[in-house]
Amino acid sequence: MWKLKVAEGANPWLRSLNNHVGRQIWEFNPNCGSPEEIQEIEDARANFSKHRFEKKHSSDLLMRIQFSKENTGNVVLPPAKVKDLDEVTEETVTHILRRAISFHSTLQAHDGHWPGDYGGPMFLMPGLVIALSITGALNAVLSEQHKQEMCRYLYNHQNKDGGWGLHIEGPSTMFGSVLNYVTLRLLGEAANDGEGAMEKARTWILDHGSATAITSWGKMWLSVLGAFEWSGNNPLPPEIWLLPYMLPIHPGRMWCHCRMVYLPMSYLYGKRFVGPITPTVLSLRKELYAVPYHEIDWNQARNLCAKEDLYYPHPLVQDMLWATLHKALEPILLNWPGKKLREKALRTAIEHIHYEDENTRYICIGPVNKVLNMLCCWAEDPNSEAFKLHIPRIYDYLWLAEDGMKMQGYNGSQLWDTAFATQAIISTNLIEEFGPTLQKAHMYIKNSQVLEDCPGDLDFWYRHISKGAWPFSTADHGWPISDCTAEGLKAALLLSKIPSEIVGQPLDAKRLYDAVNVILSLQNEDGGFATYELTRSYAWLELINPAETFGDIVIDYPYVECTSAAIQALTSFKKLYPGHRREEIERCIDKAAKFIEKIQAPDGSWYGSWGVCFTYGTWFGVLGLVAAGRSYSSSGNLRKACEFLLSKQLASGGWGESYLSCQNKVYTNLEGDRSHVVNTSWAMLALIDAGQAERNLVPLQRAARCLINSQMENGDFPQQEIMGVFNKNCMITYAAYRIIFPIWALGEYRRRVLQAS
Ligand code: LAN
């Protein structure tokens, strides 16, 4: 049976700063699990497959089944439902909260964090499987059980029309379809396996223009595999790293995710690296194209892209730029003496790759550069230590649920979820009752702060300071993030106000100051906060974004979420430490609030970039302004925001926003106007903070009733549609949101509405 292991890392090739706190790994042990336990898992799998077209999001049941066996002490209070609004009493809400927090406590791991599924994107596992096949490590890294679960996942998420989307809920794209088809083939599935599923996939691909119409990232993956020619790719010259930093297009000025993905891509491109041409690869050359492989017009293929994949079509200038580089520059760089420059650029690129690997303990900033960097290390030297150090960190990205094994969007969302869960539980005031849970969460937060900057000259490595920051996942990952630092700090400050007999010793003031220092250092001139770094270049750089499926990837833009979180954290900090850097903090908050006001949409909403979507953004917009001292009566921005939210409340009393809001930037209800517990909670949290209770209680009562009636038998809340997003177009799972946000919203409702009245 499969088992989730937390904070373990007994492997000589693994490095850790803090004994692997937060590390979550699934392992298969053939000798464990009773027949009943195995049957329970089989039932969950069968149930997912049966309903896979109606309910595309899995419910993280394997972890839940395991934890319910491990934490048997939990007493489940009887469920409660409410019909009339006057039944939404303090007593009922308290009862619901007890049920929810008791249940959520059973999901907490011994190191204090809440493990969970961070899947969703459908373009990540292919990179891993392609890289492992090329390096010959596939069978050493992935056991038969791994492969079986990966195939299960891929078949489960194949759309009815035979293709795969960019993410689990999306319509079929060429990128998703070709890469996942190739992945199944590399995992050992034959071209006619899957009871017709493989043929159906091929039909989809050929009917929509064949693999020549895959996106640029897909072209790159197929090229390293040997199933596409490098001459069919637009150039990715590593020489860009040799340009002076002054230039706005210098990669050091790009969003770190963009820079870190194009870095190894440019290394592989610069080398025209191709893996061994195996019989499967030769067969794929036949399966993926409508014409014989040697007859394909590769020059034309450079700019092909299926219409299903086009979210950000290349502007003309971009095509002109690639054509010039392709036809004029590349021939020079491939031959003597231009070759010398290429060699120098490749050395620079690999040096930066090694720096990134070392300073994330081979986790890397994200799943894409993780596998690309690993492949580069192998391409540089197949026997290298670096390649060996990469291997055990692969498992950090794999997650198992009833829909199968997936590759996650990060090595988890540990710190983020723990910081939110802590704030949610504290909001309920049931602090003593859940003291042990909070104490463990506190331990995780303390253990996960980043304590040092990266080594060497930070400017040389294009790195911002890290000391005092919180990461999104684990300290070993280590990349600092503005809003993770802010949420970590908010949680740490709340915990510091609770007696240490209940939640343990507070964080040293010195470490809080370091966190404040990181936040202050991340404010842009315009007052806004971007994600990991300052905004280092201009929005027009998006013109050279070559990734057809993603929007806004080239620079790190300021976001309402990050800006609001920074204000909230600094406001809480200022109350407790009024003497520390007071003026700077006040100036920062003031500028940040003005930025938030400036970017509010005319309808009163804010567009959320990392959650779905306007309910998420508006929650942040409102909380940021309120924390900065604005109120409903003094701020037209807040009044408009409330009006906006109220106008979207559904007949059920809830809110339910579709991922289409993110893509189209237009508020879109879920199909059938269904409500979603997470959107409902975000809207409620915003309205409560903006003082809705003083004006008209009914919308809040209706929302609370909707949440109460959604609670499940065991105290959990249902997993509904996907709620996370990145780069406008790709969705990502936040498995813990379904319970954290209902607890938080009902907690605030109880404390600030019911108890205050
Ligand atoms: C994340 C996850 C966390 C997220 C928040 C902290 C929630 C947000 O407020 C700021 C942005 C951030 C850090 C974020 C950025 C984009 C990420 C890293 C991801 C959504 C997780 C995966 C995604 C990454 C870009 C996926 C790889 C794909 C590429 C296009 C490179």
Side-chain angles (χ1 to χ4, degrees):
M1 197 171 78
W2 284 94
K3 227 172 142 52
L4 174 67
K5 301 221 159 140
V6 169
E8 290 188 19
N11 181 320
W13 294 99
L14 269 178
R15 296 172 182 175
S16 177
L17 297 169
N18 62 1
N19 264 322
H20 300 288
V21 166
R23 184 164 191 254
Q24 34 190 50
I25 297 297
W26 284 92
E27 268 179 21
F28 186 80
N29 180 344
N31 304 320
C32 92
S34 66
E36 296 79 42
E37 282 169 340
I38 292 170
Q39 192 53 47
E40 196 179 354
I41 291 172
E42 283 306 329
D43 291 347
R45 286 173 176 154
N47 196 45
F48 182 86
S49 296
K50 191 165 157 214
H51 300 290
R52 67 197 187 92
F53 293 126
E54 305 96 68
K55 216 178 158 299
K56 300 185 173 186
H57 203 305
S58 55
S59 299
D60 219 358
L61 290 180
L62 267 49
M63 181 190 83
R64 278 166 169 70
I65 292 172
Q66 177 178 328
F67 281 12
S68 71
K69 301 278 164 355
E70 288 172 3
N71 303 311
T72 46
N74 180 39
V75 184
V76 184
L77 299 170
K81 300 274 172 223
V82 293
K83 270 212 197 93
D84 299 325
L85 289 187
D86 50 19
E87 290 173 53
V88 184
T89 58
E90 188 185 335
E91 198 190 344
T92 310
V93 173
T94 309
H95 181 80
I96 297 291
L97 285 170
R98 287 217 164 91
R99 282 168 42 73
I101 308 174
S102 308
F103 176 78
H104 197 221
S105 298
T106 68
L107 300 184
Q108 188 179 28
H110 59 84
D111 66 356
H113 91 280
W114 277 269
D117 187 341
Y118 199 53
M122 289 301 295
F123 65 97
L124 301 174
M125 203 152 69
L128 174 66
V129 172
I130 291 174
L132 288 176
S133 308
I134 293 172
T135 57
L138 189 77
N139 293 327
V141 174
L142 304 179
S143 65
E144 281 312 310
Q145 287 82 13
H146 277 98
K147 288 192 233 170
Q148 188 189 347
E149 288 307 318
M150 287 176 158
C151 291
R152 183 197 305 285
Y153 177 74
L154 295 175
Y155 283 131
N156 266 333
H157 291 284
Q158 183 177 25
N159 288 329
K160 252 188 194 149
D161 63 8
W164 282 267
L166 183 64
H167 55 90
I168 52 171
E169 294 192 8
S172 300
T173 59
M174 191 60 76
F175 189 35
S177 304
V178 170
L179 287 188
N180 287 302
Y181 175 84
V182 167
T183 307
L184 279 165
R185 294 284 285 111
L186 296 175
L187 285 171
E189 294 293 284
N192 53 2
D193 270 350
E195 294 163 8
M198 293 297 271
E199 273 133 334
K200 225 173 153 186
R202 250 184 351 264
T203 308
W204 192 97
I205 292 167
L206 296 178
D207 282 354
H208 291 81
S210 89
T212 47
I214 198 172
T215 56
S216 57
W217 288 23
K219 291 179 165 70
M220 184 274 318
W221 275 121
L222 292 178
S223 301
V224 292
L225 181 66
F228 202 96
E229 291 303 299
W230 276 112
S231 57
N233 286 253
N234 278 321
L236 293 165
E239 287 72 21
I240 192 168
W241 288 87
L242 303 177
L243 295 174
Y245 187 75
M246 263 166 50
L247 297 176
I249 62 157
H250 191 282
R253 296 182 177 275
M254 293 177 181
W255 185 37
C256 52
H257 277 280
C258 183
R259 160 170 106 234
M260 284 300 158
V261 163
Y262 281 102
L263 169 68
M265 280 187 188
S266 72
Y267 182 79
L268 296 168
Y269 174 82
K271 279 200 148 188
R272 302 293 195 274
F273 171 84
V274 183
I277 306 298
T278 62
T280 310
V281 172
L282 287 175
S283 180
L284 283 170
R285 288 182 175 187
K286 295 199 185 96
E287 293 162 36
L288 298 175
Y289 301 98
V291 295
Y293 190 74
H294 64 270
E295 284 175 20
I296 294 172
D297 180 345
W298 294 108
N299 184 44
Q300 189 202 23
R302 282 189 304 116
N303 290 323
L304 293 182
C305 180
K307 66 176 186 322
E308 289 73 13
D309 295 53
L310 264 191
Y311 181 71
Y312 179 76
H314 290 178
L316 185 66
V317 286
Q318 195 182 123
D319 288 339
M320 284 159 57
L321 175 69
W322 302 147
T324 317
L325 293 179
H326 182 74
K327 300 213 164 88
L329 195 66
E330 273 304 310
I332 299 176
L333 292 166
L334 289 177
N335 299 296
W336 195 88
K339 215 169 167 201
K340 290 271 161 223
L341 192 64
R342 171 71 26 117
E343 280 160 11
K344 181 162 184 238
L346 288 172
R347 279 196 303 277
T348 304
I350 198 81
E351 198 188 4
H352 278 88
I353 290 170
H354 291 320
Y355 185 83
E356 157 74 351
D357 289 348
E358 282 286 313
N359 291 297
T360 57
R361 284 129 298 266
Y362 289 80
I363 296 167
C364 297
I365 194 170
V368 181
N369 83 323
K370 159 71 192 170
V371 289
L372 284 167
N373 280 14
M374 180 173 84
L375 187 58
C376 291
C377 291
W378 189 84
E380 185 193 24
D381 173 7
N383 296 315
S384 63
E385 280 215 345
F387 181 66
K388 294 189 183 107
L389 287 159
H390 262 292
I391 297 294
R393 286 298 188 188
I394 291 171
Y395 305 106
D396 296 43
Y397 280 94
L398 300 177
W399 187 263
L400 188 72
E402 69 274 21
D403 56 343
M405 181 165 269
K406 53 200 86 180
M407 176 134 180
Q408 308 188 95
Y410 223 74
N411 66 325
S413 51
Q414 294 87 327
L415 182 280
W416 187 247
D417 289 335
T418 307
F420 276 160
T422 303
Q423 296 179 68
I425 297 172
I426 293 177
S427 81
T428 67
N429 254 346
L430 301 169
I431 288 168
E432 278 184 52
E433 208 172 319
F434 297 102
T437 306
L438 288 173
Q439 181 162 26
K440 279 202 280 175
H442 197 183
M443 192 172 76
Y444 187 76
I445 293 168
K446 288 188 276 188
N447 284 334
S448 303
Q449 193 177 14
V450 183
L451 301 179
E452 299 293 340
D453 289 335
C454 282
D457 175 3
L458 295 182
D459 287 342
F460 179 84
W461 300 106
Y462 314 110
R463 289 296 304 260
H464 195 82
I465 55 166
S466 316
K467 185 179 176 185
W470 270 279
F472 180 65
S473 54
T474 60
D476 282 335
H477 178 292
W479 273 84
I481 303 174
S482 66
D483 56 355
C484 298
T485 307
E487 296 299 342
L489 180 58
K490 280 168 67 190
L493 289 169
L494 283 172
L495 286 159
S496 77
K497 292 194 268 186
I498 303 172
S500 58
E501 301 80 65
I502 305 179
V503 295
Q505 287 301 320
L507 209 57
D508 264 2
K510 174 90 193 42
R511 280 174 57 181
L512 301 175
Y513 297 165
D514 289 340
V516 168
N517 185 50
V518 169
I519 296 178
L520 290 173
S521 76
L522 281 168
Q523 186 170 39
N524 286 308
E525 276 302 308
D526 63 3
F529 284 75
T531 61
Y532 293 75
E533 292 161 346
L534 288 163
T535 304
R536 299 176 177 175
S537 196
Y538 307 95
W540 56 257
L541 232 70
E542 220 57 53
L543 284 173
I544 59 157
N545 166 15
E548 303 87 340
T549 33
F550 302 116
D552 287 359
I553 66 164
V554 183
I555 63 164
D556 202 345
Y557 295 88
Y559 296 99
V560 65
E561 294 97 317
C562 302
T563 311
S564 164
I567 297 179
Q568 295 177 52
L570 293 177
T571 312
S572 312
F573 175 81
K574 200 178 73 164
K575 284 196 190 121
L576 292 179
Y577 296 86
H580 186 78
R581 298 177 76 172
R582 185 183 185 108
E583 274 175 27
E584 277 172 273
I585 290 177
E586 280 173 358
R587 234 180 302 127
C588 171
I589 293 175
D590 185 51
K591 264 175 93 174
K594 292 200 172 106
F595 174 82
I596 291 184
E597 287 173 341
K598 195 182 80 194
I599 60 165
Q600 185 178 29
D603 66 359
S605 67
W606 281 270
Y607 175 84
S609 293
W610 310 107
V612 178
C613 172
F614 292 94
T615 43
Y616 186 66
T618 306
W619 172 49
F620 278 102
V622 167
L623 265 79
L625 292 184
V626 173
R630 314 282 199 270
S631 69
Y632 188 85
S633 54
S634 72
S635 157
N637 300 77
L638 283 176
R639 287 195 293 275
K640 268 174 105 177
C642 292
E643 253 169 60
F644 169 80
L645 287 172
L646 292 173
S647 76
K648 302 295 179 196
Q649 191 168 23
L650 300 165
S652 61
W655 282 257
E657 219 183 328
S658 157
Y659 77 83
L660 294 170
S661 282
C662 308
Q663 255 171 245
N664 304 333
K665 304 189 183 168
V666 177
Y667 192 99
T668 312
N669 280 339
L670 285 169
E671 248 178 71
D673 293 344
R674 272 174 292 118
S675 63
H676 192 297
V677 294
V678 177
N679 298 123
T680 304
S681 305
W682 289 334
M684 254 182 100
L685 284 164
L687 287 169
I688 294 172
D689 215 49
Q692 178 64 34
E694 294 145 30
R695 298 183 289 277
N696 178 5
L697 201 54
V698 176
L700 292 178
Q701 284 176 320
R702 293 176 56 220
R705 178 177 62 183
C706 178
L707 287 183
I708 292 170
N709 290 339
S710 308
Q711 193 176 38
M712 292 157 51
E713 194 77 14
N714 61 358
D716 201 356
F717 285 82
Q719 175 63 57
Q720 299 162 306
E721 286 77 358
I722 199 155
M723 274 293 123
V725 57
F726 56 91
N727 303 118
K728 309 280 169 293
N729 200 29
C730 191
M731 303 302 134
I732 189 158
T733 294
Y734 283 83
Y737 281 11
R738 73 199 239 201
I739 184 149
I740 292 176
F741 286 107
I743 292 175
W744 201 343
L746 290 172
E748 293 285 340
Y749 186 71
R750 171 174 181 270
R751 191 169 52 89
R752 291 169 62 177
V753 181
L754 296 171
Q755 292 184 335
S757 63

